[in-house]
Amino acid sequence: MTEKRKHKSNKLKFAMRVLLVILGGVIAAYGLETVLIPNDVSDGGVTGLSIVGAQLFDFPLGILIAVLNIPFIWLGYKQIGKTFAILSIIGIASLAIGTSMMHHTPAIIEGDTLLVTVVGGIILGFGMGLALRNGGALDGIDMLAVLLSRKLPFGTSDIILFLNIFVFIFVSTVFGLQGAILSAIAYFIASKVIHIVEVGLSGSKTFQIITTQPALMVETIRDRLGRSATYKEVYGGFSHEKFREITCVINRMEETKLKEIINEIDPDCFVTVYDVSEVKGGNFRKKDIH
């Protein structure tokens, strides 16, 4: 019975992910068809190439989005897995169908280039981020970048930026230099919104602190922030001196307070800070500090 319930629960979770990926595709399509495209602003990646192709050859945008993404879906299947490929097919299909259904929908903003790039970028980024957060993708260029980063001495983000330079040069042939610049701005805004949707507005950060007063530091963090911390022994590469490194995970709103504590106790300590996209397990809940 327990196994059946678990299986049913997994099915419901996957169904919810599918619905959210579809919703993400529809939202992205709405941003394209009612804000960006009517104002001669494009997107980056495969979607940007599809928009230019649709303008040049008077071909349905939805069909181009679906066809041009096929090789990238195959890459996603080979490099990331079957579930990702299935969810990406669903997401790209919902984007393609959404653009076809909304093609004659009146633009909600016209003329104001700044407003167009901001609103369009936010709507597009929210839709793409929603799909990515639930395990799918709406554009294949990210999958290509992951594959190339394994074969070239560059990071994924660097390769995505490099590939999109050629996309926006191509965009300029149809929408002109101003259209290409506005498209790049909208793409930049969308990428930031994608990050927020994936990580969340609060997010988390990991602080790693090497201090001469580790016990006092941990006690103060616990008393004033309600956060726990862990120790590990580290050794100086030059002095070979042994230290106790403190690791503490906090949310972004607590970052300033923790920096104040660090500066108050040991302003000369060595601190490294990392962004954390997700925290699970353990006891991440705050303790009562009142």
Side-chain angles (χ1 to χ4, degrees):
M1 188 68 180
T2 306
E3 195 66 33
K4 285 184 177 179
R5 285 181 180 176
K6 186 177 179 181
H7 185 65
K8 186 177 180 181
S9 176
N10 288 339
K11 279 189 171 181
L12 287 172
K13 286 179 181 178
F14 185 76
M16 182 58 67
R17 287 171 65 188
V18 168
L19 288 174
L20 290 172
V21 168
I22 292 172
L23 180 60
V26 172
I27 291 171
Y30 181 79
L32 288 172
E33 290 291 352
T34 65
V35 182
L36 296 179
I37 295 175
N39 290 282
D40 293 336
V41 179
S42 182
D43 184 23
V46 177
T47 304
L49 294 175
S50 302
I51 291 170
V52 173
Q55 295 286 334
L56 283 175
F57 305 112
D58 194 25
F59 208 72
L61 175 59
I63 294 176
L64 281 176
I65 288 173
V67 171
L68 293 182
N69 271 296
I70 289 173
F72 300 105
I73 292 171
W74 173 251
L75 278 178
Y77 170 72
K78 298 296 287 184
Q79 298 297 321
I80 303 174
K82 180 180 176 181
T83 301
F84 175 78
I86 291 171
L87 289 170
S88 295
I89 290 171
I90 292 169
I92 290 167
S94 64
L95 174 63
I97 294 169
T99 55
S100 298
M101 293 180 66
M102 299 179 194
H103 186 60
H104 298 292
T105 304
I108 59 173
I109 302 170
E110 288 183 309
D112 191 327
T113 54
L114 178 61
L115 194 59
V116 165
T117 54
V118 172
V119 174
I122 289 173
I123 296 173
L124 183 64
F126 183 78
M128 297 182 78
L130 192 61
L132 284 168
R133 186 182 178 99
N134 288 281
L138 302 184
D139 196 283
I141 200 168
D142 296 346
M143 306 175 206
L144 177 61
V146 170
L147 179 63
L148 291 176
S149 67
R150 296 177 181 178
K151 300 180 181 296
L152 299 174
F154 302 102
T156 303
S157 58
D158 295 328
I159 295 173
I160 290 173
L161 176 62
F162 179 74
L163 292 173
N164 273 304
I165 289 173
F166 292 98
V167 173
F168 291 122
I169 290 173
F170 191 43
V171 167
S172 68
T173 62
V174 173
F175 293 137
L177 182 59
Q178 178 177 314
I181 293 171
L182 292 175
S183 299
I185 294 171
Y187 180 81
F188 175 77
I189 293 170
S191 68
K192 296 302 178 183
V193 175
I194 288 170
H195 179 74
I196 291 172
V197 174
E198 280 193 283
V199 175
L201 286 171
S202 58
S204 299
K205 292 209 170 195
T206 293
F207 274 68
Q208 290 184 330
I209 309 161
I210 298 177
T211 173
T212 56
Q213 302 184 67
L216 177 60
M217 186 76 72
V218 169
E219 183 182 349
T220 307
I221 291 171
R222 184 180 63 244
D223 292 343
R224 289 165 58 178
L225 269 185
R227 292 292 185 190
S228 184
T230 57
Y231 289 122
K232 68 179 176 181
E233 290 187 352
V234 294
Y235 296 84
F238 180 74
S239 66
H240 302 293
E241 186 178 354
K242 184 170 73 173
F243 299 95
R244 298 177 80 186
E245 182 182 77
I246 301 166
T247 300
C248 182
V249 182
I250 61 170
N251 65 47
R252 292 179 188 273
M253 293 180 289
E254 297 166 328
E255 181 179 0
T256 301
K257 185 66 176 178
L258 181 53
K259 287 180 178 178
E260 288 176 1
I261 292 171
I262 292 169
N263 288 329
E264 179 184 318
I265 295 174
D266 187 1
D268 297 321
C269 68
F270 183 77
V271 183
T272 52
V273 184
Y274 304 93
D275 285 320
V276 179
S277 61
E278 188 173 5
V279 180
K280 283 187 176 181
N283 185 17
F284 187 60
R285 292 173 299 176
K286 283 174 65 71
K287 295 178 176 63
D288 190 1
I289 59 175
H290 301 292

